[in-house]
Amino acid sequence: PLDRAEAVARCVPLLDDPPTIEAPGDTTGDATVIATGLPASPGLATGVLCTDPDQAVELQAEGRSVILVRRETSPSDVHGMAAAAGLFTLLGGLVSHAAVVARDWGLPAVVGASEATLTDQGLDGPGGFAPIGATVTVDGSVGTLALGASAAGRHEAPEVETIRRWARAVADGEA
């Protein structure tokens, strides 16, 4: 087994430029939360709202960031999911197809937004309406879909502080 001293020795070089994560979005400014669901896969992604997997592939090929919004996903949607920067579904739980695939691929995702309705024109939620093609932000850390671009900050991963604490303990002879 790896002890703390060896873990610190392996990780100390990384502390000069520590790993960071995106913090949940700030929904100030133009961004308005349209709908909420279960935070299924952490992260923040902004792109155009798209409800069709084939169109998601086309938009991504044009260099556009896409948020794929579906009632639920199935294996036949995988090509669109792969093209998306983030996922949002009305149905599903934390072990649903969308949630599991998003976590495996590192995509921000929100699932189970049952109070929202998907129409031919876009997403109608308790917080308002987001038309297809509008810029939206999915925040898989807190479970929201916002109309507009939402700011996020990058912060050191929580594990960085753990390694720093261990490094101090090793330096003090306490490990």
Side-chain angles (χ1 to χ4, degrees), residues 108-136:
V110 176
V111 299
S114 59
E115 293 183 357
T117 305
L118 198 55
T119 69
D120 291 341
Q121 291 77 38
L123 182 76
D124 194 11
F129 181 75
I132 291 172
T135 297
V136 294

Side-chain angles (χ1 to χ4, degrees), residues 61-157:
E62 294 172 5
R64 300 183 73 187
S65 180
V66 177
I67 304 302
L68 184 61
V69 178
R70 303 284 286 161
R71 180 169 163 74
E72 61 186 328
T73 63
S74 72
S76 64
D77 296 326
V78 167
H79 63 293
M81 296 167 72
L87 305 174
F88 187 87
T89 68
L90 308 186
L91 300 177
L94 297 178
V95 293
S96 66
H97 180 260
V100 171
V101 170
R103 282 193 299 272
D104 188 50
W105 292 354
L107 294 175
V110 176
V111 299
S114 59
E115 293 183 357
T117 305
L118 198 55
T119 69
D120 291 341
Q121 291 77 38
L123 182 76
D124 194 11
F129 181 75
I132 291 172
T135 297
V136 294
T137 300
V138 63
D139 189 333
S141 299
V142 296
T144 59
L145 181 86
L147 179 60
S150 184
R154 294 200 63 84
H155 301 284
E156 287 184 353

